[in-house]
Amino acid sequence: MPFPTSRLRLIPILLMGLGSCTVGPDYKKPDTTDITPATWRWQPSAPRDDAPKGDWWKVFHDSELNRLEALALADNQNLRAAYARIQQSRANARAAATDWFPNFDLNSRNKRERTSAQLPTPVPVKIPSAQINTFSQALDLSYELDLWGKVRRSFESARAQSESSAADFNNVLLTLTGDVAATYFQLRALDADLASLRRTIALREKSLGLIQQRFTAGTIQETDVARSKTEVATAKAELADIKRQRQEASDNLSLLCGVPATSFKLAERPLHGSPPSIPAGLPASILERRPDVAAAERIVASRNADIGVATAAYFPAISLTGQGGYLSKDTGSLFSADSRVWSIGPSLSLPVTGFALIKANVRKKREAREEAIANYRQAVLAALKDVETTLAQTRYRAEQSAAQNEALAAASQAADLTRARYDSGTVGYLEFLDAERTRLQTERQANSVTAQRFIATVKLIKAMGGGW
């Protein structure tokens, strides 16, 4: 064999030095108790253990939304890119872990060479030319003993980076599903506007026909006819603009779902009803679910481990190198006992004049950790702000919706009464037009507020990390 058995037994003894010590600070999660409230301002904690988790969009009980979310999860290209980044970071972590183990290389060197008969020599000695064969089959060993935990800290840093990438993927996933739902509800609000405008156009065209008959009969002025035509044309212009907005929303949905816009179709269906009530949960639990907060915390762990890697440069690096194999001048005797060769020995590397550079590098890594801690605390504050803001939105949007529905009911009643009075000739056409415009405007505002309630609910779920 290439190495004598007695010397091979020394390797496990040397490997026991791996657990001697690990330099650098051990990781402790940054404290956020000073910035984390006990309860929310806008809503008391009321978690429901039976509420859906993961596929949060299913709480809306909308089969079309469920289909679009499934398309986005399967075909969105940004999501695929984020998944590829996870795989890259995991590969980096596996690569860092390989430094724990010895590195073996099998080297086969075979050559035939001819030496010169005219070599320069200090004495006039004639050396004849010759042809030499060299056949070598050797196994090379190299291994750096992890006496100070440099490899362990490197792996710790790479693993934390990998976990941060996984949290980033979940953040991309949450953002994608939230954008799909918000865009979907925006499109459904436009469908409600289309329905309102079509009803208005139908009523105004009917009114125009009656007004033309009354004008022909000489009971009204021609200005009423002109105004009626203006209202019909204005409503049609608004309808065309809403159709444009809906097409843009549809194209945005197709991009999110990874489907070509030319082949993406979504039937009209006006948005009605109210969104589900979402329990807010405890602030502390929100911080554990938010993927952006989790990613920021894992970056802190990675930067903390980097301090240990930099600190290890203060201490000597001990490497073990060896070689064993066969060397011969011909292939026939290459693997004979007399052709065996081997060598083994440690090497020591100790910094002598580079301590100032090492100190500066350690300081750099410590400041990088402080930066990561500040970013983590900022992510916590942003998460708390998001939840408080969206809780306020859901509360005030509900109040706004109730008031807007009351206004719509009153505007509809006023328009009907004004129409009856106009038909009886007790009010002029301008008053009738004003009542109709108010009803249409109030109805479209109600559609918009309904959509904003659904979108605010989506934002609340997203602010809570996608589940509860």
Side-chain angles (χ1 to χ4, degrees), residues 190-205:
L190 294 173
D191 287 345
D193 276 352
L194 289 175
S196 298
L197 284 167
R198 288 189 179 111
R199 287 195 300 269
T200 299
I201 291 172
L203 290 173
R204 288 182 180 180
E205 287 180 338

Side-chain angles (χ1 to χ4, degrees), residues 246-322:
R246 188 188 191 278
Q247 186 60 56
E248 291 177 357
S250 177
D251 293 342
N252 290 336
L253 264 179
S254 70
L255 180 61
L256 292 171
C257 296
V259 178
T262 53
S263 59
F264 186 80
K265 304 295 181 184
L266 202 62
E268 291 185 18
R269 192 179 69 195
L271 182 63
H272 296 296
S274 300
S277 177
I278 305 299
L282 295 173
S285 64
I286 297 300
L287 302 183
E288 296 176 357
R289 292 198 301 265
R290 288 267 301 217
D292 56 337
V293 175
E297 187 272 333
R298 289 290 81 201
I299 291 296
V300 176
S302 177
R303 299 294 180 265
N304 186 80
D306 289 341
I307 298 174
V309 176
T311 304
Y314 279 118
F315 302 93
I318 302 176
S319 299
L320 180 66
T321 59

Side-chain angles (χ1 to χ4, degrees), residues 58-71:
K58 293 183 178 179
V59 300
F60 294 99
H61 303 292
D62 191 317
S63 59
E64 189 65 21
L65 176 60
N66 295 343
R67 183 184 71 86
L68 294 174
E69 294 286 6
L71 278 176

Side-chain angles (χ1 to χ4, degrees), residues 12-301:
I13 298 175
L14 294 173
L15 296 181
M16 292 177 64
L18 288 173
S20 57
C21 66
T22 302
V23 297
D26 292 331
Y27 177 67
K28 293 182 180 179
K29 186 176 180 179
D31 184 23
T32 57
T33 54
D34 59 322
I35 58 176
T36 306
T39 58
W40 302 113
R41 179 190 301 122
W42 296 107
Q43 181 175 323
S45 172
R48 294 201 307 253
D49 292 338
D50 59 342
K53 301 176 179 67
D55 298 345
W56 55 264
W57 51 88
K58 293 183 178 179
V59 300
F60 294 99
H61 303 292
D62 191 317
S63 59
E64 189 65 21
L65 176 60
N66 295 343
R67 183 184 71 86
L68 294 174
E69 294 286 6
L71 278 176
L73 294 178
D75 297 325
N76 183 269
Q77 300 306 308
N78 288 334
L79 192 63
R80 290 184 178 182
Y83 181 76
R85 288 193 292 272
I86 290 181
Q87 299 305 103
Q88 293 175 46
S89 63
R90 287 175 177 172
N92 288 335
R94 288 191 292 268
T98 60
D99 290 336
W100 269 327
F101 307 101
N103 184 37
F104 291 95
D105 294 313
L106 179 62
N107 295 307
S108 176
R109 301 183 183 90
N110 307 284
K111 68 178 180 178
R112 179 180 177 86
E113 61 182 328
R114 182 181 186 277
T115 62
S116 173
Q118 305 297 331
L119 291 175
T121 58
V123 294
V125 178
K126 182 68 174 179
I127 300 177
S129 174
Q131 292 184 354
I132 302 174
N133 296 330
T134 302
F135 299 95
S136 173
Q137 305 293 326
L139 186 65
D140 294 334
L141 162 70
S142 62
Y143 184 59
E144 180 178 345
L145 302 182
D146 191 26
L147 297 177
W148 319 113
K150 177 181 177 181
V151 174
R152 275 166 285 175
R153 292 301 192 196
S154 296
F155 176 69
E156 183 181 332
S157 176
R159 183 177 58 187
Q161 286 278 6
S162 176
E163 292 168 350
S164 176
S165 295
D168 286 337
F169 170 80
N170 289 328
N171 195 43
V172 172
L173 176 64
L174 180 59
T175 300
L176 170 64
T177 53
D179 288 348
V180 169
T183 306
Y184 174 77
F185 290 130
Q186 179 186 9
L187 185 144
R188 290 309 186 197
L190 294 173
D191 287 345
D193 276 352
L194 289 175
S196 298
L197 284 167
R198 288 189 179 111
R199 287 195 300 269
T200 299
I201 291 172
L203 290 173
R204 288 182 180 180
E205 287 180 338
K206 182 179 179 181
S207 297
L208 175 60
L210 295 175
I211 289 172
Q212 286 177 330
Q213 291 178 7
R214 295 175 67 181
F215 171 70
T216 303
T219 58
I220 61 173
Q221 298 179 356
E222 188 177 3
T223 54
D224 289 352
V225 177
R227 287 172 180 153
S228 181
K229 289 180 178 180
T230 301
E231 293 302 311
V232 172
T234 300
K236 289 181 177 180
E238 292 178 356
L239 180 66
D241 186 59
I242 297 300
K243 287 180 178 180
R244 174 192 59 80
Q245 295 180 39
R246 188 188 191 278
Q247 186 60 56
E248 291 177 357
S250 177
D251 293 342
N252 290 336
L253 264 179
S254 70
L255 180 61
L256 292 171
C257 296
V259 178
T262 53
S263 59
F264 186 80
K265 304 295 181 184
L266 202 62
E268 291 185 18
R269 192 179 69 195
L271 182 63
H272 296 296
S274 300
S277 177
I278 305 299
L282 295 173
S285 64
I286 297 300
L287 302 183
E288 296 176 357
R289 292 198 301 265
R290 288 267 301 217
D292 56 337
V293 175
E297 187 272 333
R298 289 290 81 201
I299 291 296
V300 176

